Amino acid sequence: MAKITNLKRRTEKNLIDWIAYKGLVSFTFLLPLIYLPFLEDSFSLPKAILLKLFLFFSLALFILIINHKKIFFLAALKLPLFILIIWLIASLPLSSNPSLSFTGNYLRDEGILAFLGYLSLYFFAFNFIDSEKKALEILKLLLIISVVESLIGILQSFGIDPIHLSGKSFEVSRSSGTFGNPVFLGSFLVLTLPISITFSLNSKLKREKILYSIITITLGICLLFTFSRGAWVGFIISLIIFLFLSPEILKEKKKGLLALLLIFIFFLTIASLTLPRKTLFSRISWKADEGILSRIDLWKGTIKLIYQKPLWGYGLETFRGLIPKHFTPLLAQLATLQDRPHNQFLYLAFSLGIVGLLIFNWIIIAFFRIELPSLSQMKKERKMILTGILASAGGYLVQEQFSFSLVGVTPIFWLFLGIAHPFVAKEKPLVPLPFILKNNLGEKLVFTTLGIIILACFFSQISFFLADYYFKKGLIFSQYAQNQLLWEEAIINLKKAVTLNPFQNKYREVLGESYRKGGQGLGIKEWGYLALKTYYEGIKRDPLDENFWLGLGDVYLYNFKDKESKQKAIQAYKEALKIDPLSPIAKWAIGDVYLEEKKYDLAIKNLEEAVAISPRKPGIYFSLGLAYERMGKWDEAYQAYQRVYQQNPNYSGIKETLKRVKKRALNKR
């Protein structure tokens, strides 16, 4: 009977191990490639949902296996990993916005669940990739995915859009693959390119060596075409780490390395001739351009914030609402989203405090302290594979100091930390987690409760998926709405999005905007009140989101024409300025209010401040010209309108306005 019971347990254990490994393989395959064009957030949200589903899958499997096998950690990583989990959970009530820190911002989705997902991936890889064979299978799978991403990216660089990303990706002239951003694709290739080099040098069969060499060149060309300087630096550092850890490669594999280098130089030469010269060499030149200077400004502002709250930080995903107070004029002019400092160490210090940053570095240092001594004891082929993994991890950490973590790539980094385990398992002892379990009613109650929670979390992610689908539908209807029927359809879909995912404030923002624009255009005053209600709900959830204050001001200004409402509009715009003192939109809006109230001196003061901050917005110059015109200052009005025409010759009515004002200016003389 005992033998039958033991056999049954081994069978169940083998089945669970098989499910766990196949689940990990499926996740690894889907994460980089998944892209859902029928969602508004086609890139990050599907990857974030997949990561969270994997987290719930790993928790559910953990409940199943807890009585079948003990869960192991490397001894040196056990303590810092658990302290990090505790610190992440403790940071939630200390966050300046716990709701945001839990769920994450729109287009990022990197709240506490995402971070726990990263750690679960390490945990899973460590426990279920228990042989070198499985580790190599995962690495080869990642190379196949990298080739697919690279081919898509290379075609994108030449204006060919194989999966119709136009209008959705960050920059269609640069390689972005299915990540939607060339920086993100560059981060992914920094992880996989050293692995392809390792396989190329490690292959004994000629056809395998040729195959991996072709893969290496393909990935290298795509990395070049991302024009991501941080990724270039990360890859160079990974090569330095690779050669430092295995110096014998320079002697034994000299011909192979030289051949790869020559082929890469050949393709680099072709690229320099086929791609726009300005684009290629402006990125390689490393001049202090707008991108570099803005990142330096971001770093300075982030350091000031860290200094104000150094120990436990402000909470995950709260950067966007706090950094505008430290904006420089250059940052205020940029149209891009500034919700990360583009330095992962600074972001961790900002979000989790210096303590959180130290815990993270403790994990990384402990990992390398385990892996590095093992290299000297390994056979050459095995050593080279582990060297490639360590080089990938090191290069990725370096490039993160010029970008940031993200749900589409960072899980692969933590997967690599777990994958290294089979190569050192014989050299280092494993430490089981100390679980004391008894088969009693209390245990079953705990497991049942955990199971219900996991199931509820699983269905919540499906709900968030549907919410973004309805959000996109609502957004499309609102963009093309010309009658009440279309506005109503937009509002119905946006309300569904808010209902399905009440944590996502972006949906609320667009719903409020639809109420405002639809109510203003159709003269439906009730929609104006609904817009106010929606914006106030958004402010309650995130009072540091200036877009809600700007929207609130617009409702008072355009949907309610009385004097009291105009004063309320000014107050709302001033609240936006408290969040972002250099907001050109807020100053422009205040100028427009004073323009309507015929307070032209105040209007000109605010509008001139707006154009000083953001001289690239023709609409501000048009309002400024209108203010000068109504004061009878025709020369100044003409100059303002001239700036509108210079920036946008097709601006509505600008040509006729210029002729009219020029004539009045000449008559005055």
Side-chain angles (χ1 to χ4, degrees), residues 39 65 166 214 235 238 337 359 406 416 507 536 570 601 667:
L39 298 182
I65 66 175
S166 297
I214 292 171
F235 174 60
S238 72
L337 181 66
I359 296 169
L406 59 147
F416 271 37
Y507 302 160
Y536 276 119
I570 291 175
D601 288 333
N667 290 339

Side-chain angles (χ1 to χ4, degrees), residues 18 41 44 60 71 77 126 164 167 218 262 285 398 431 457 500 516 536 575 638 664 667:
W18 183 85
D41 182 4
S44 293
I71 308 304
L77 288 185
F126 185 91
H164 307 292
T218 305
L262 290 174
S285 65
V398 169
V431 178
C457 291
L500 287 166
R516 180 188 69 76
Y536 276 119
E575 288 294 330
Y638 181 77
R664 294 296 297 268
N667 290 339

Side-chain angles (χ1 to χ4, degrees), residues 142-276:
L142 282 169
L143 288 185
I144 294 170
I145 295 166
S146 299
V147 170
V148 174
E149 291 285 354
S150 296
L151 291 175
I152 293 171
I154 291 169
L155 290 173
Q156 288 169 340
S157 295
F158 290 95
I160 302 170
D161 195 7
I163 52 176
H164 307 292
L165 296 179
S166 297
K168 298 291 291 184
S169 64
F170 182 74
E171 282 185 57
V172 293
S173 61
R174 294 164 63 184
S175 296
S176 59
T178 60
F179 291 92
N181 188 313
V183 175
F184 301 166
L185 176 58
S187 301
F188 177 69
L189 293 175
V190 168
L191 282 168
T192 57
L193 190 48
I195 301 301
S196 68
I197 292 173
T198 300
F199 278 30
S200 176
L201 296 175
N202 220 15
S203 298
K204 294 180 179 179
L205 296 176
K206 187 175 181 180
R207 62 176 180 270
E208 285 187 359
K209 190 175 289 291
I210 292 171
L211 175 63
Y212 287 122
S213 297
I214 292 171
I215 291 173
T216 300
I217 297 302
T218 305
L219 270 57
I221 293 169
C222 186
L223 178 63
L224 176 71
F225 286 179
T226 63
F227 297 105
S228 175
R229 289 174 290 203
W232 292 348
V233 172
F235 174 60
I236 291 169
I237 295 299
S238 72
L239 286 181
I240 293 171
I241 294 171
F242 189 88
L243 295 174
F244 176 77
L245 295 179
S246 297
E248 67 275 7
I249 291 175
L250 283 173
K251 296 179 181 179
E252 299 176 9
K253 307 288 184 178
K254 189 183 296 183
K255 290 183 180 180
L257 286 170
L258 184 62
L260 285 174
L261 180 61
L262 290 174
I263 296 171
F264 185 76
I265 291 173
F266 172 74
F267 281 106
L268 176 60
T269 305
I270 294 176
S272 66
L273 296 173
T274 54
L275 287 176

